Amino acid sequence: MKQAIGVDIGGGSIRVSLFDESGNELKSNQSKTPDHLDNDSFLKTLTETIRPLLKDNIGIGVGSPGPLNSETGILLTSANMVGIENVPIKQTLEKEFLLPVFYENDANCAALGEAYFGSFKGCESQLILTLGTGVGGGFVKQGVLYTGYLGNGIEIGHTTSVIGGALCGCGARGCVESYFSTRGFLNRYFESTNTKLPHAESFFELVRKEDQVAKEILHFGTLALAHAVRGAIHLLNPEAVVFVGGITNSYDLFGEQLEKEIRSNIFPILNERLKLGKGRNLSGTLGAASLVFANKKV
């Protein structure tokens, strides 16, 4: 049985796992990223975290936040890893380990992992949305990931929901991410109450306690997300739309409204085959390993 390595690069750590072609995790390793980063120290930590898992695999898949250039395999910058710039990830790993290396942003990896191993893996095409700190997206058709120019396609979180609306982290106003994401929920709650919440869980706990402000923010955010998804469905016509990410741990609070709003606003004929729902929330390392399996046509 063929095996592949998946690498998930985060702001505080590098996680590496070895998987078989059925998506079973065989081994794993993890390292904390150095406190004082530069390209050399980062690449040294990356290669040494991968090395113990090298035996008997067909390639290495790597996922990280962007911006990046997936064609050249370079991590351009990182807001959460200050000190690194233009890191040659693909070139370094291929030279070090003599294996093919595939590199994409983490939302694309999540999409491909769900398409290959998730709840809707039998579908002809899937639009996968990652709901967390922000809103990411990926589109997979017949097992092939659509990446867009240099790996920066399907940025559904930065489509406009409210013209002239709330300021987004990207610098524009009214992005759906400003209304439905951890950052969006916390910022909108602070605007309304002058209260800073520490994390998404605290926001959803207020919703469960019938906090009226939190409920209204979630309701409006759900509508904003639903209509962003509506637009994407009309553009892409996927067989399935799948929601993953940390926010889906509270899917019971918004999932029914989200699905109803989407279905009631798309062309009726599309509802005949469209599947909607929460995904399996597969690990970032499995998503990255899926890059190898997809490119090797396992």
Side-chain angles (χ1 to χ4, degrees):
M1 182 173 282
K2 295 178 180 178
Q3 299 173 173
I5 288 174
V7 182
D8 182 24
I9 297 172
S13 65
I14 297 169
R15 298 177 177 86
V16 182
S17 297
L18 178 68
F19 295 94
D20 66 24
E21 60 197 293
S22 296
N24 299 309
E25 186 179 61
L26 307 176
K27 296 179 183 177
S28 65
N29 197 20
Q30 182 172 334
S31 295
K32 184 179 181 295
T33 50
D35 292 328
H36 303 289
L37 274 176
D38 56 35
N39 286 12
D40 289 340
S41 63
F42 173 78
L43 287 170
K44 181 180 179 181
T45 301
L46 177 63
T47 55
E48 293 309 308
T49 309
I50 294 171
R51 196 178 304 280
L53 279 65
L54 272 180
K55 188 177 179 182
D56 300 326
N57 71 89
I58 59 174
I60 300 171
V62 182
S64 81
L68 55 87
N69 185 326
S70 62
E71 292 184 7
T72 59
I74 292 175
L75 174 57
L76 301 176
T77 59
S78 173
N80 296 316
M81 293 183 285
V82 178
I84 64 175
E85 185 176 7
N86 297 321
V87 186
I89 288 178
K90 177 179 171 68
Q91 179 185 23
T92 300
L93 297 182
E94 287 185 338
K95 182 179 179 180
E96 181 74 21
F97 299 128
L98 303 178
L99 286 168
V101 175
F102 306 94
Y103 180 38
E104 289 286 350
N105 75 52
D106 46 10
N108 279 342
C109 290
L112 195 61
E114 283 291 328
Y116 267 72
F117 301 109
S119 305
F120 300 90
K121 63 182 178 182
C123 294
E124 176 265 350
S125 57
Q126 302 102 332
L127 172 65
I128 294 95
L129 279 76
T130 56
L131 309 178
T133 304
V135 178
F139 180 62
V140 180
K141 181 177 176 64
Q142 296 178 339
V144 178
L145 178 68
Y146 172 79
T147 60
Y149 180 62
L150 303 183
N152 297 293
I154 316 297
E155 287 286 356
I156 193 169
H158 298 291
T159 55
T160 302
S161 285
V162 180
I163 295 174
L167 182 66
C168 179
C170 73
R173 289 189 175 274
C175 295
V176 65
E177 185 172 294
S178 298
Y179 298 94
F180 196 103
S181 68
T182 296
R183 186 184 294 116
F185 292 143
L186 302 191
N187 286 345
R188 303 291 75 76
Y189 195 80
F190 179 74
E191 284 178 355
S192 297
T193 67
N194 204 34
T195 300
K196 287 188 176 182
L197 300 175
H199 40 60
E201 291 80 2
S202 59
F203 172 80
F204 285 113
E205 184 60 30
L206 287 172
V207 175
R208 293 187 190 282
K209 292 179 178 178
E210 299 291 324
D211 181 281
Q212 195 59 37
V213 174
K215 287 177 64 178
E216 289 175 1
I217 289 169
L218 179 59
H219 176 76
F220 185 83
T222 301
L223 295 180
L225 178 62
H227 285 270
V229 173
R230 173 187 183 266
I233 290 171
H234 284 159
L235 285 171
L236 299 170
N237 192 12
E239 184 177 353
V241 176
V242 189
F243 302 100
V244 300
I247 284 180
T248 62
N249 291 332
S250 300
Y251 199 75
D252 62 300
L253 293 176
F254 63 85
E256 183 177 352
Q257 181 199 3
L258 176 64
E259 294 182 21
K260 181 179 179 180
E261 188 71 17
I262 293 169
R263 289 196 179 278
S264 62
N265 283 283
I266 61 174
F267 293 152
I269 192 171
L270 299 182
N271 274 316
E272 293 178 8
R273 75 159 188 163
L274 180 67
K275 300 174 179 65
L276 285 172
K278 178 181 174 182
R280 290 182 57 196
N281 280 311
L282 303 170
S283 69
T285 51
L286 179 54
S290 300
L291 294 170
V292 181
F293 294 131
N295 281 277
K296 290 295 185 178
K297 300 294 186 274
V298 171

